[in-house]
Amino acid sequence: MTDETTKNGPDAAATEAAADAPANVENEAAAEAAAQPDPLELLKAENIELRDRYLRLAAEMDNLRRRTEREVKDAKAYSVAGFARDMLAVSDNLRRAIDAIPEEAKATADAGLTTLIEGVEMTERSMLSALERHGVRKLEPVGQKFDPNFHQAMFEVPNPEVPNNTVVQVVQAGYTIGERVLRPAMVGVAKGGPKLVEPETNSVFDQKDA
């Protein structure tokens, strides 16, 4: 066997392969390491996701808190609405009873009738005062622009001197509770006058609070 044969024989090939093996292993390890995600980047991504979930949860909890507070507030404000509406009907009857007595009869009434009238008037005032303490407020629409949200038009009053669509008479008083209408005011509105100039604020609540 010649030296060339020995050099190029199977042993030489095996020796060369053995020499290249560490390099191949290193290359494969490097490729595998490159394919694996960076642990630091994974932690950053997880942190961003957790922070986003926390912010969404915090926003949901804040919305829930506000909604609950609003519902509790509404429940307190409007829980007496039905009862208050019934009491207004009683108050109306008291007022009708008082108005049914002629002025002449009141002026010439004896002590008993006078005391009775005063008692009915006092009862009416006490009832309305109690309702007001629970958020019920009387509307004062005379002179205001007719608002279908708060007023119910019963008739028109021809009057060219009053701006058109202005409330000029109240047939039955209206009331609000909180920011809701408990009972609209039954009113008469002017017809035939000049167009009513729009005020800066039309809200009945804003006008009452001014």
Side-chain angles (χ1 to χ4, degrees), residues 91-103:
S91 176
D92 291 340
N93 290 333
L94 292 175
R95 174 46 50 186
R96 292 189 187 99
I98 296 171
D99 293 341
I101 302 174
E103 291 298 327

Side-chain angles (χ1 to χ4, degrees), residues 46-189:
E46 184 178 358
N47 182 57
I48 293 174
E49 181 182 359
L50 290 175
R51 182 174 181 275
D52 184 59
R53 291 171 59 184
Y54 167 77
L55 291 176
R56 287 200 302 269
L57 179 60
E60 291 176 0
M61 293 301 296
D62 187 56
N63 291 335
L64 177 61
R65 177 184 60 79
R66 293 182 181 180
R67 184 167 61 251
T68 302
E69 289 178 352
R70 183 171 61 252
E71 290 175 353
V72 170
K73 181 180 178 181
D74 288 348
K76 290 180 179 179
Y78 306 121
S79 60
V80 298
F83 175 75
R85 195 175 292 110
D86 292 339
M87 289 301 98
L88 288 177
V90 176
S91 176
D92 291 340
N93 290 333
L94 292 175
R95 174 46 50 186
R96 292 189 187 99
I98 296 171
D99 293 341
I101 302 174
E103 291 298 327
E104 294 179 359
K106 292 180 182 179
T108 60
D110 57 19
L113 180 57
T114 300
T115 301
L116 176 61
I117 295 173
E118 291 176 351
V120 174
E121 290 176 339
M122 184 179 299
T123 301
E124 180 195 28
R125 288 194 300 269
S126 297
M127 183 177 297
L128 294 177
S129 178
L131 290 173
E132 187 174 355
R133 288 196 299 272
H134 289 278
V136 177
R137 296 192 301 180
K138 184 178 180 180
L139 295 173
E140 302 292 346
V142 174
Q144 296 179 1
K145 179 184 177 182
F146 174 77
D147 186 342
N149 296 312
F150 299 95
H151 312 142
Q152 181 178 345
M154 305 302 295
F155 53 86
E156 292 180 328
V157 180
N159 190 339
E161 298 180 358
V162 178
N164 195 45
N165 217 27
T166 299
V167 176
V168 294
Q169 185 176 345
V170 177
V171 179
Q172 184 182 69
Y175 293 85
T176 61
I177 180 169
E179 296 184 354
R180 298 181 185 177
V181 177
L182 184 62
R183 187 178 75 183
M186 295 183 180
V187 300
V189 296

